[in-house]
Amino acid sequence: MLYVPCSMKLIVGLGNSGSEYANTRHNLGFLFADRLQKEWGFSEFTLSKKFSAEVTEGNCAGNKIMLAKPTTFMNLSGEAVKKILDFYKLTPEDLLVIHDDLDIAAGKYKIATDSSSAGHNGVQNIIDQLGTQTFKRIRIGIGETKDGEVIACRLEAHDFVLGKITPAETEKITAIEKEILAEIQKLL
């Protein structure tokens, strides 16, 4: 019998733990991690104190996959990511981070592989902890638009990202969900 090694990938959805943050714009990473868990038939997420994250594992596209939702709160997400990468001896190339992005219109997304945090504190903490920005990211838009352009300067950005996702935003996000899931499969 021929042994074919299976590589492991880590997919991290960013968000904040706690019921008060459920269904907020800043928790889109958590929401997509939950969708992947269901789509791929992985077991329910369980709390891992060792990793400071809720985790689940399974196989997809010939890879062993760990899905993680850090419990460190958004601004310290890198601590959980680093713990998992170190434990499994993974590299930043094995990492995919899914997060909200205020600079992208709701209903749009972008894939990044080597870019700055653009002010996203959770992503910045991952960059700081890993010492590199060279990892894959799916940036899901939550930005409001006016006259077709994303509102660039928001004094109330903190309150906006922690606000609940509206029905109109849910419709826009749902419309791109399958496309994002297909992109994730390609990135594995």
Side-chain angles (χ1 to χ4, degrees):
M1 178 187 254
L2 179 66
Y3 172 74
V4 179
C6 175
S7 62
M8 183 172 182
K9 303 292 181 187
L10 172 62
I11 300 174
V12 177
L14 297 188
N16 288 308
S17 297
S19 59
E20 66 270 32
Y21 299 108
N23 266 350
T24 61
R25 294 176 186 97
H26 220 23
N27 270 30
L28 269 183
F30 276 15
L31 292 172
F32 269 85
D34 290 340
R35 287 183 175 125
L36 288 170
Q37 176 263 326
K38 287 177 179 54
E39 178 83 15
W40 293 341
F42 288 11
S43 61
E44 294 294 319
F45 280 92
T46 57
L47 178 63
S48 168
K49 290 183 181 181
K50 170 173 62 176
F51 296 140
S52 301
E54 291 183 29
V55 297
T56 184
E57 295 181 22
N59 290 296
C60 182
N63 293 297
K64 181 175 180 168
I65 306 290
M66 175 181 273
L67 297 174
K69 299 187 297 186
T71 56
T72 54
F73 286 98
M74 180 69 79
N75 295 353
L76 299 174
S77 297
E79 294 176 9
V81 171
K82 184 157 178 40
K83 286 178 185 180
I84 297 169
L85 290 179
D86 288 350
F87 182 83
Y88 287 104
K89 296 178 178 41
L90 301 174
T91 67
E93 291 91 34
D94 300 313
L95 173 64
L96 171 62
V97 177
I98 306 169
H99 64 89
D100 62 294
D101 196 309
L102 193 55
D103 296 328
I104 301 171
K108 306 283 184 190
Y109 70 94
K110 291 184 180 178
I111 297 172
T113 55
D114 184 5
S115 62
S116 72
S117 66
H120 193 290
N121 292 333
V123 173
Q124 185 59 54
N125 189 254
I126 294 171
I127 291 169
D128 293 344
Q129 291 288 321
L130 301 183
T132 184
Q133 64 186 26
T134 307
F135 54 90
K136 295 179 281 296
R137 296 172 22 214
I138 295 191
R139 303 164 48 205
I140 303 171
I142 61 168
E144 280 187 297
T145 57
K146 183 176 180 180
D147 300 326
E149 297 293 321
V150 175
I151 300 170
C153 183
R154 298 186 60 92
L155 296 177
E156 73 285 358
H158 179 266
D159 293 335
F160 181 77
V161 299
L162 293 178
K164 299 290 184 188
I165 299 170
T166 67
E169 291 166 335
T170 297
E171 192 174 305
K172 290 176 181 178
I173 292 163
T174 301
I176 62 170
E177 181 179 307
K178 286 186 180 175
E179 192 175 332
I180 290 173
L181 294 176
E183 290 290 347
I184 291 169
Q185 293 259 4
K186 288 182 206 173
L187 293 169
L188 296 178

